[in-house]
Amino acid sequence: MVVRYIWFWSFWHWSRESHRAGMLLKRPLEGLAVHWDEWYRHEASARERDEIERLRDSAAEQQAFLDWLEQTWSREAVAHHSAALAAYVWRELRRVEPFVDWPAVVAVRAADDERGIAAVILAEVSAGTADDVVPIDAILLPGEIETDEGAVVAENFEAEPGDLENSRQAVLGLLRGRQRWSVAWRWLLLGQRDYRRGLAFTLLAGWGAVALGLAWLLVGPDPGEQLPWLAGGLVSVWCGLVLVALITHGRELRRFFRAGRRMATGFAAAQVRLRLPARFKLKGGSAGLAFGLSSLRAMRRAWPELSERSWLWRRSLERLDADAAAWAATGILTSEGAVRPVEVAAKLQACRQHGQITHLLMPTQTTVAPLGGEAGGGGRLQLHRCSNLADALLHVAALRSPAQTVINVATLGLSALMIFGLPDLVRILVPPAPPPVVAPSSPTPYALWVSLDTASPEFFQVVLESRVWAYRRADVRLHNSAPASVRAELRLLKRSDAATRDLEDGIVWIERRPCFLFRRFEPGERVGRYTVSYLNRLRHE
Amino acid sequence: MNETREVGELLRWQAARAARQAPPPPRAAALLEQIRPWWERWPERFRQLADSLAALDVRYGHAATDPRPNRDGFLVPTVVVRTQAEDRTHSSILYFAISGGRLRLRFQVMPAPDVLPTKAEVTFVDAATARALLVAPVEAASSGEYRVEAELPEKVAAAWCDLKVTDRMPFHLIVQQVEA
């Protein structure tokens, strides 16, 4: 096995040993640039310098060194590997000799100029210019939380320590705290789905069938004997759709929470290093939202594999990473993840004048018209109001889908109808047992009470057929007047063509009358037969 | 041969002319004055700066919550003297090594004043006695950082050889801008 770049290993081990011996204050990763500077000046041997110099004129060799840093050194030298580690090391090295002038440095520097999320930091007496839009460079060093610098380091600017810690806590809350529920329900209600085209079509067709079925049941022609088939089909399709929704959404949410917990574990033990393009002393915390989003982006770059298993995280963080250069953010970020209002007028002006910023995340507040002057730089600036970090992330991830929102609302409405009407549908499919007639009977001779022992009165009706009394049909319902009972009350009217004088002539039929919500269908089968004389002899009370 | 003689005469003539035009040699007293350290030439000024440093000295109280030894180091009182201004601040010692009687030091002025001199020298002032120990040129490294490499007097080297970067430093610093 060939060990390459021994000089770099020499430096690394000198750095570690010197730190351990108390000669270097900062830990090897934290003080990489400083340590390299000292080692190169005083400790590197002539041979090592020659080897380093040999790389100066070969861009290919320099690139090979960068690749080695990423693929070999970063995996062997530190206990906690991350994809961002080599980028961090390179960023530090290229500030010092002899790396400053390397051609590969220039190329990498250009690549690194893919900007991150920008904060809007107004210079003193600035009315909002393009220079006030400041991209944030964030790198995450894993497993370095025990450093002396703290969990969030402002490398070349000063900020209130509380503001930096707030952004960190907000990110942790998003990964494993309450904020993740905010992401979850917003996605459930408003967000896109990751369905394959075939499944999406099938689901749409299914819900369409449910809608049609419900419409038929509520306002369509009476299905007659097809009613049980219709009800059964409706219930089956709806249950299937609900099951699919529960499984797919439940699976994605489970993956979302699990991936969030894993990322939170790593993030909690890592150090976030923030860098601005110039030295600032920040007054106020309006860059907090930008810091929070930058930290998320840094986490994604450090551990891209952790978010892979959750579509929601993968999509959100991929878009955050890929589109960062077009976004700016302003807003005070609390440790709970809420975004508080800030003064935005001049910041709007600054973003409008910036050529590359096309989206601005801001708190939910009334926008004051920007100060005078024409907006330059071209392009329209879209404002995205967000109340918390979860909301901001969903905006950046472009997960909101008006079409999906409409579908969600519609399916929720259909499901609500189904849930309310489910007892009726079940009764259509599994009709209740024929109810026996019970007391009380009517206390007067002018009416005939048919009291039934049933828990589903709306599902039955009674019919009187008699040679003496007029044909009558009545619904069964709960009567609260004394004596209270579930009964049908038939008003007796003598027929003009009565064929007999027997006042107790007549048959009362108990019929099933299916219903669904507010609709009653045509009567179904007859399930009970009682004579009038029998009914009259039931007790009155 | 004639050419050689002519060249020789020309050179002698040039030397004689240079000798006539050269300024008179400085007096021994003036030479001694020039090599005296600046704190001896301007003692009042030095006293003023040393008093400023003493006023900056931080008194540390350890409300320790961590059993591990302190890794933050201690800030060193520092005065940065520029042509038009003076800044009283502190420095963090990033690198401290003594090898073969030579000190290698790297420190970062914190917070760094808006303008830091790029061409400067640093004077080490004994923290206990407020006496100047040595002066050495510094090299500006990166933002707010300076590098020093200097030969230490024997006694100082012996006293400092066991110092670690996390120890409280027995010196204060005066960084003075040097005219180009």
Short mmCIF file of all heavy atoms in Angstrom, two decimals, chain A residues 14 19-27 33-34 37-38 41-43 95 146 148 158 279, chain B residues 68 71-73 92-97 104 106 111-112 139 143 145 147 149 164-166:
data_model
loop_
_atom_site.label_atom_id
_atom_site.label_comp_id
_atom_site.label_asym_id
_atom_site.label_seq_id
_atom_site.Cartn_x
_atom_site.Cartn_y
_atom_site.Cartn_z
N TRP A 14 1.96 16.53 13.63
CA TRP A 14 2.60 17.60 14.39
C TRP A 14 1.54 18.47 15.04
O TRP A 14 1.66 18.89 16.20
CB TRP A 14 3.49 18.44 13.46
CG TRP A 14 4.01 19.68 14.14
CD1 TRP A 14 5.13 19.77 14.90
CD2 TRP A 14 3.41 20.98 14.11
NE1 TRP A 14 5.29 21.05 15.37
CE2 TRP A 14 4.24 21.82 14.89
CE3 TRP A 14 2.30 21.53 13.53
CZ2 TRP A 14 3.97 23.17 15.09
CZ3 TRP A 14 2.00 22.88 13.72
CH2 TRP A 14 2.85 23.68 14.51
N HIS A 19 -0.74 20.36 19.88
CA HIS A 19 -1.91 20.76 20.65
C HIS A 19 -1.96 19.99 21.98
O HIS A 19 -2.21 20.57 23.05
CB HIS A 19 -3.18 20.49 19.85
CG HIS A 19 -4.45 20.71 20.63
ND1 HIS A 19 -4.89 21.97 20.99
CD2 HIS A 19 -5.35 19.85 21.13
CE1 HIS A 19 -6.01 21.86 21.67
NE2 HIS A 19 -6.31 20.59 21.78
N ARG A 20 -1.65 18.74 21.89
CA ARG A 20 -1.66 17.93 23.11
C ARG A 20 -0.58 18.39 24.08
O ARG A 20 -0.75 18.39 25.29
CB ARG A 20 -1.45 16.46 22.74
CG ARG A 20 -1.86 15.48 23.81
CD ARG A 20 -1.80 14.07 23.29
NE ARG A 20 -2.69 13.87 22.16
CZ ARG A 20 -2.56 12.89 21.28
NH1 ARG A 20 -1.58 12.02 21.38
NH2 ARG A 20 -3.41 12.77 20.28
N ALA A 21 0.55 18.83 23.53
CA ALA A 21 1.67 19.26 24.38
C ALA A 21 1.50 20.67 24.90
O ALA A 21 2.33 21.15 25.67
CB ALA A 21 2.98 19.14 23.60
N GLY A 22 0.47 21.35 24.45
CA GLY A 22 0.22 22.68 24.97
C GLY A 22 0.91 23.79 24.21
O GLY A 22 1.03 24.90 24.72
N MET A 23 1.35 23.49 22.99
CA MET A 23 1.99 24.55 22.19
C MET A 23 0.98 25.27 21.32
O MET A 23 1.17 26.43 20.97
CB MET A 23 3.09 23.94 21.32
CG MET A 23 4.28 23.50 22.14
SD MET A 23 5.75 23.25 21.14
CE MET A 23 5.27 21.85 20.16
N LEU A 24 -0.05 24.57 20.95
CA LEU A 24 -1.08 25.16 20.11
C LEU A 24 -2.36 25.26 20.90
O LEU A 24 -2.76 24.31 21.59
CB LEU A 24 -1.31 24.31 18.86
CG LEU A 24 -0.17 24.29 17.85
CD1 LEU A 24 -0.37 23.18 16.84
CD2 LEU A 24 -0.05 25.64 17.15
N LEU A 25 -3.00 26.43 20.79
CA LEU A 25 -4.21 26.64 21.58
C LEU A 25 -5.39 25.90 20.98
O LEU A 25 -6.14 25.25 21.69
CB LEU A 25 -4.51 28.15 21.66
CG LEU A 25 -5.75 28.51 22.48
CD1 LEU A 25 -5.49 28.22 23.96
CD2 LEU A 25 -6.14 29.96 22.30
N LYS A 26 -5.58 26.06 19.65
CA LYS A 26 -6.80 25.52 19.04
C LYS A 26 -6.60 24.06 18.69
O LYS A 26 -5.49 23.57 18.48
CB LYS A 26 -7.14 26.30 17.78
CG LYS A 26 -7.46 27.76 18.07
CD LYS A 26 -8.05 28.43 16.87
CE LYS A 26 -8.42 29.86 17.21
NZ LYS A 26 -9.03 30.57 16.11
N ARG A 27 -7.71 23.38 18.64
CA ARG A 27 -7.67 21.98 18.25
C ARG A 27 -7.26 21.87 16.79
O ARG A 27 -7.42 22.83 16.03
CB ARG A 27 -9.04 21.33 18.46
CG ARG A 27 -9.36 21.23 19.93
CD ARG A 27 -10.75 20.71 20.17
NE ARG A 27 -11.04 20.81 21.59
CZ ARG A 27 -11.25 19.76 22.40
NH1 ARG A 27 -11.24 18.53 21.91
NH2 ARG A 27 -11.51 19.93 23.67
N ALA A 33 -5.57 26.39 9.60
CA ALA A 33 -4.79 27.34 8.80
C ALA A 33 -3.59 27.85 9.60
O ALA A 33 -2.46 27.91 9.08
CB ALA A 33 -5.68 28.50 8.36
N VAL A 34 -3.83 28.20 10.85
CA VAL A 34 -2.75 28.72 11.69
C VAL A 34 -1.67 27.65 11.87
O VAL A 34 -0.47 27.91 11.76
CB VAL A 34 -3.32 29.16 13.05
CG1 VAL A 34 -2.21 29.41 14.05
CG2 VAL A 34 -4.17 30.42 12.87
N ASP A 37 0.40 27.15 8.83
CA ASP A 37 1.32 28.27 8.62
C ASP A 37 2.58 28.08 9.45
O ASP A 37 3.71 28.25 8.97
CB ASP A 37 0.60 29.57 9.00
CG ASP A 37 1.26 30.78 8.38
OD1 ASP A 37 1.88 30.64 7.30
OD2 ASP A 37 1.19 31.87 8.98
N GLU A 38 2.39 27.72 10.69
CA GLU A 38 3.54 27.54 11.58
C GLU A 38 4.36 26.31 11.18
O GLU A 38 5.60 26.35 11.16
CB GLU A 38 3.07 27.41 13.04
CG GLU A 38 2.41 28.66 13.58
CD GLU A 38 3.32 29.87 13.57
OE1 GLU A 38 4.55 29.72 13.77
OE2 GLU A 38 2.81 31.00 13.32
N ARG A 41 6.40 26.98 8.00
CA ARG A 41 7.53 27.89 8.16
C ARG A 41 8.67 27.27 8.94
O ARG A 41 9.84 27.49 8.64
CB ARG A 41 7.08 29.15 8.89
CG ARG A 41 6.23 30.08 8.07
CD ARG A 41 5.63 31.16 8.99
NE ARG A 41 4.65 31.92 8.28
CZ ARG A 41 4.92 32.99 7.52
NH1 ARG A 41 6.16 33.42 7.40
NH2 ARG A 41 3.96 33.64 6.91
N HIS A 42 8.32 26.51 9.98
CA HIS A 42 9.37 26.10 10.93
C HIS A 42 9.65 24.61 10.97
O HIS A 42 10.75 24.20 11.30
CB HIS A 42 8.97 26.53 12.35
CG HIS A 42 8.75 27.99 12.48
ND1 HIS A 42 9.74 28.92 12.28
CD2 HIS A 42 7.62 28.68 12.73
CE1 HIS A 42 9.22 30.13 12.44
NE2 HIS A 42 7.95 30.01 12.71
N GLU A 43 8.68 23.81 10.71
CA GLU A 43 8.83 22.38 10.96
C GLU A 43 9.02 21.55 9.70
O GLU A 43 9.57 20.46 9.76
CB GLU A 43 7.59 21.84 11.72
CG GLU A 43 7.26 22.58 12.99
CD GLU A 43 8.32 22.39 14.06
OE1 GLU A 43 9.05 21.38 14.02
OE2 GLU A 43 8.44 23.26 14.94
N ARG A 95 -6.11 29.62 2.40
CA ARG A 95 -5.86 30.98 2.89
C ARG A 95 -4.39 31.21 3.17
O ARG A 95 -3.98 32.34 3.44
CB ARG A 95 -6.65 31.20 4.19
CG ARG A 95 -8.15 31.26 4.00
CD ARG A 95 -8.91 31.04 5.31
NE ARG A 95 -8.34 31.81 6.40
CZ ARG A 95 -8.57 31.55 7.68
NH1 ARG A 95 -9.30 30.51 8.01
NH2 ARG A 95 -8.03 32.28 8.63
N GLU A 146 -17.07 19.45 21.48
CA GLU A 146 -16.29 19.68 22.67
C GLU A 146 -15.19 20.69 22.45
O GLU A 146 -14.30 20.84 23.24
CB GLU A 146 -15.66 18.36 23.15
CG GLU A 146 -16.72 17.37 23.61
CD GLU A 146 -16.08 16.10 24.13
OE1 GLU A 146 -14.87 16.09 24.32
OE2 GLU A 146 -16.81 15.12 24.33
N ASP A 148 -13.42 24.36 22.13
CA ASP A 148 -13.47 25.48 23.05
C ASP A 148 -14.23 26.65 22.47
O ASP A 148 -14.52 27.61 23.17
CB ASP A 148 -12.03 25.90 23.39
CG ASP A 148 -11.20 24.71 23.79
OD1 ASP A 148 -11.67 23.92 24.62
OD2 ASP A 148 -10.08 24.54 23.26
N GLU A 158 -18.83 39.24 14.29
CA GLU A 158 -19.30 39.19 15.66
C GLU A 158 -20.82 39.23 15.67
O GLU A 158 -21.43 40.05 15.00
CB GLU A 158 -18.76 40.39 16.45
CG GLU A 158 -17.26 40.32 16.71
CD GLU A 158 -16.77 41.55 17.45
OE1 GLU A 158 -17.44 41.96 18.42
OE2 GLU A 158 -15.73 42.10 17.04
N ARG A 279 -15.84 41.32 7.37
CA ARG A 279 -15.97 41.38 8.82
C ARG A 279 -17.16 42.27 9.19
O ARG A 279 -17.30 43.37 8.71
CB ARG A 279 -14.69 41.96 9.43
CG ARG A 279 -13.51 41.03 9.36
CD ARG A 279 -12.28 41.73 9.93
NE ARG A 279 -12.47 42.04 11.33
CZ ARG A 279 -12.21 41.19 12.32
NH1 ARG A 279 -11.76 39.98 12.04
NH2 ARG A 279 -12.40 41.53 13.57
N ARG B 68 -12.42 18.83 33.35
CA ARG B 68 -11.25 18.83 32.47
C ARG B 68 -10.51 20.15 32.60
O ARG B 68 -11.09 21.17 32.96
CB ARG B 68 -11.71 18.65 31.02
CG ARG B 68 -12.23 17.26 30.75
CD ARG B 68 -12.85 17.17 29.38
NE ARG B 68 -14.03 18.02 29.28
CZ ARG B 68 -14.74 18.15 28.19
NH1 ARG B 68 -14.40 17.49 27.10
NH2 ARG B 68 -15.80 18.92 28.15
N ARG B 71 -9.02 24.83 28.52
CA ARG B 71 -8.34 24.85 27.24
C ARG B 71 -8.53 26.18 26.52
O ARG B 71 -8.19 26.30 25.36
CB ARG B 71 -8.93 23.72 26.35
CG ARG B 71 -8.53 22.33 26.75
CD ARG B 71 -7.13 21.92 26.38
NE ARG B 71 -6.51 22.62 25.28
CZ ARG B 71 -5.31 22.33 24.85
NH1 ARG B 71 -4.62 21.37 25.42
NH2 ARG B 71 -4.78 23.01 23.85
N ASP B 72 -9.08 27.14 27.22
CA ASP B 72 -9.33 28.41 26.54
C ASP B 72 -8.11 29.31 26.54
O ASP B 72 -8.05 30.25 25.77
CB ASP B 72 -10.48 29.15 27.22
CG ASP B 72 -11.80 28.44 27.03
OD1 ASP B 72 -11.91 27.70 26.03
OD2 ASP B 72 -12.71 28.61 27.86
N GLY B 73 -7.20 29.09 27.39
CA GLY B 73 -6.07 30.00 27.50
C GLY B 73 -6.49 31.25 28.25
O GLY B 73 -7.64 31.43 28.64
N SER B 92 -5.00 36.78 22.27
CA SER B 92 -5.09 35.36 22.58
C SER B 92 -3.83 34.71 21.99
O SER B 92 -3.51 34.92 20.82
CB SER B 92 -6.35 34.77 21.94
OG SER B 92 -6.37 33.38 22.10
N ILE B 93 -3.13 33.95 22.79
CA ILE B 93 -1.90 33.30 22.33
C ILE B 93 -2.29 32.00 21.62
O ILE B 93 -2.86 31.10 22.22
CB ILE B 93 -0.96 33.00 23.50
CG1 ILE B 93 -0.68 34.26 24.30
CG2 ILE B 93 0.34 32.37 23.00
CD1 ILE B 93 0.00 35.36 23.52
N LEU B 94 -2.00 31.95 20.34
CA LEU B 94 -2.39 30.78 19.55
C LEU B 94 -1.27 29.74 19.48
O LEU B 94 -1.53 28.55 19.35
CB LEU B 94 -2.76 31.22 18.13
CG LEU B 94 -3.89 32.25 18.01
CD1 LEU B 94 -4.10 32.62 16.55
CD2 LEU B 94 -5.16 31.72 18.62
N TYR B 95 -0.05 30.21 19.52
CA TYR B 95 1.06 29.29 19.37
C TYR B 95 2.20 29.81 20.21
O TYR B 95 2.57 30.99 20.12
CB TYR B 95 1.45 29.19 17.90
CG TYR B 95 2.66 28.33 17.59
CD1 TYR B 95 2.81 27.06 18.12
CD2 TYR B 95 3.64 28.80 16.73
CE1 TYR B 95 3.92 26.28 17.83
CE2 TYR B 95 4.75 28.01 16.41
CZ TYR B 95 4.89 26.76 16.98
OH TYR B 95 5.98 25.98 16.67
N PHE B 96 2.77 28.95 21.02
CA PHE B 96 3.88 29.35 21.89
C PHE B 96 4.86 28.19 21.95
O PHE B 96 4.51 27.11 22.43
CB PHE B 96 3.34 29.68 23.29
CG PHE B 96 4.37 30.20 24.23
CD1 PHE B 96 4.56 31.57 24.38
CD2 PHE B 96 5.17 29.34 24.98
CE1 PHE B 96 5.52 32.06 25.25
CE2 PHE B 96 6.13 29.83 25.85
CZ PHE B 96 6.31 31.20 25.98
N ALA B 97 6.03 28.43 21.44
CA ALA B 97 7.03 27.36 21.46
C ALA B 97 8.40 27.99 21.64
O ALA B 97 8.71 29.02 21.04
CB ALA B 97 6.98 26.55 20.16
N ARG B 104 8.96 31.21 19.39
CA ARG B 104 8.03 31.35 18.26
C ARG B 104 6.65 31.58 18.86
O ARG B 104 6.16 30.76 19.63
CB ARG B 104 8.01 30.08 17.41
CG ARG B 104 9.24 29.90 16.57
CD ARG B 104 9.10 28.71 15.66
NE ARG B 104 10.39 28.11 15.42
CZ ARG B 104 10.61 26.81 15.33
NH1 ARG B 104 9.60 25.98 15.47
NH2 ARG B 104 11.80 26.35 15.11
N ARG B 106 2.65 33.17 18.20
CA ARG B 106 1.60 33.68 17.30
C ARG B 106 0.45 34.12 18.18
O ARG B 106 -0.02 33.36 19.03
CB ARG B 106 1.14 32.60 16.35
CG ARG B 106 0.22 33.11 15.24
CD ARG B 106 -0.14 31.99 14.29
NE ARG B 106 -0.90 32.45 13.15
CZ ARG B 106 -0.50 32.32 11.88
NH1 ARG B 106 0.66 31.77 11.62
NH2 ARG B 106 -1.26 32.76 10.90
N PRO B 111 -10.64 42.12 20.87
CA PRO B 111 -11.08 42.28 19.49
C PRO B 111 -10.07 43.13 18.73
O PRO B 111 -9.46 44.03 19.29
CB PRO B 111 -12.42 43.01 19.64
CG PRO B 111 -12.30 43.74 20.93
CD PRO B 111 -11.41 42.93 21.81
N ALA B 112 -9.97 42.83 17.45
CA ALA B 112 -8.98 43.55 16.67
C ALA B 112 -9.48 44.95 16.38
O ALA B 112 -10.64 45.14 16.03
CB ALA B 112 -8.72 42.81 15.35
N GLU B 139 5.30 40.00 12.31
CA GLU B 139 4.82 39.88 10.95
C GLU B 139 3.31 39.67 11.02
O GLU B 139 2.84 38.80 11.75
CB GLU B 139 5.50 38.66 10.31
CG GLU B 139 5.09 38.37 8.89
CD GLU B 139 5.65 37.03 8.42
OE1 GLU B 139 6.63 36.55 9.02
OE2 GLU B 139 5.06 36.45 7.50
N SER B 143 -6.09 38.09 9.64
CA SER B 143 -6.85 39.13 10.31
C SER B 143 -6.60 39.12 11.81
O SER B 143 -6.98 38.21 12.52
CB SER B 143 -8.34 38.94 10.02
OG SER B 143 -8.75 37.65 10.41
N GLU B 145 -3.94 38.66 13.43
CA GLU B 145 -2.92 37.75 13.95
C GLU B 145 -1.52 38.26 13.63
O GLU B 145 -1.29 38.82 12.55
CB GLU B 145 -3.09 36.35 13.35
CG GLU B 145 -4.35 35.65 13.84
CD GLU B 145 -4.52 34.28 13.24
OE1 GLU B 145 -3.57 33.77 12.63
OE2 GLU B 145 -5.63 33.71 13.38
N ARG B 147 2.81 37.20 14.02
CA ARG B 147 3.80 36.17 14.29
C ARG B 147 5.08 36.83 14.78
O ARG B 147 5.47 37.90 14.27
CB ARG B 147 4.11 35.38 13.03
CG ARG B 147 2.94 34.71 12.38
CD ARG B 147 3.40 33.80 11.26
NE ARG B 147 4.36 32.83 11.73
CZ ARG B 147 5.67 32.92 11.58
NH1 ARG B 147 6.19 33.94 10.94
NH2 ARG B 147 6.47 32.00 12.05
N GLU B 149 9.17 35.83 15.94
CA GLU B 149 10.23 34.86 16.18
C GLU B 149 11.42 35.64 16.70
O GLU B 149 11.90 36.58 16.02
CB GLU B 149 10.59 34.12 14.90
CG GLU B 149 11.50 32.93 15.17
CD GLU B 149 11.71 32.08 13.95
OE1 GLU B 149 11.03 32.32 12.92
OE2 GLU B 149 12.57 31.18 14.00
N LYS B 164 2.96 26.63 28.76
CA LYS B 164 2.08 26.10 27.73
C LYS B 164 1.16 27.24 27.27
O LYS B 164 0.96 28.22 27.98
CB LYS B 164 1.22 24.96 28.29
CG LYS B 164 2.01 23.72 28.64
CD LYS B 164 1.04 22.56 28.82
CE LYS B 164 1.75 21.25 28.91
NZ LYS B 164 2.40 20.88 30.08
N VAL B 165 0.57 27.02 26.13
CA VAL B 165 -0.25 28.08 25.54
C VAL B 165 -1.51 28.31 26.37
O VAL B 165 -2.14 29.36 26.28
CB VAL B 165 -0.59 27.70 24.08
CG1 VAL B 165 -1.62 26.60 24.01
CG2 VAL B 165 -1.05 28.89 23.29
N THR B 166 -1.86 27.33 27.20
CA THR B 166 -3.05 27.47 28.03
C THR B 166 -2.73 28.08 29.39
O THR B 166 -3.63 28.30 30.20
CB THR B 166 -3.70 26.10 28.24
OG1 THR B 166 -2.69 25.16 28.63
CG2 THR B 166 -4.37 25.61 26.98
#
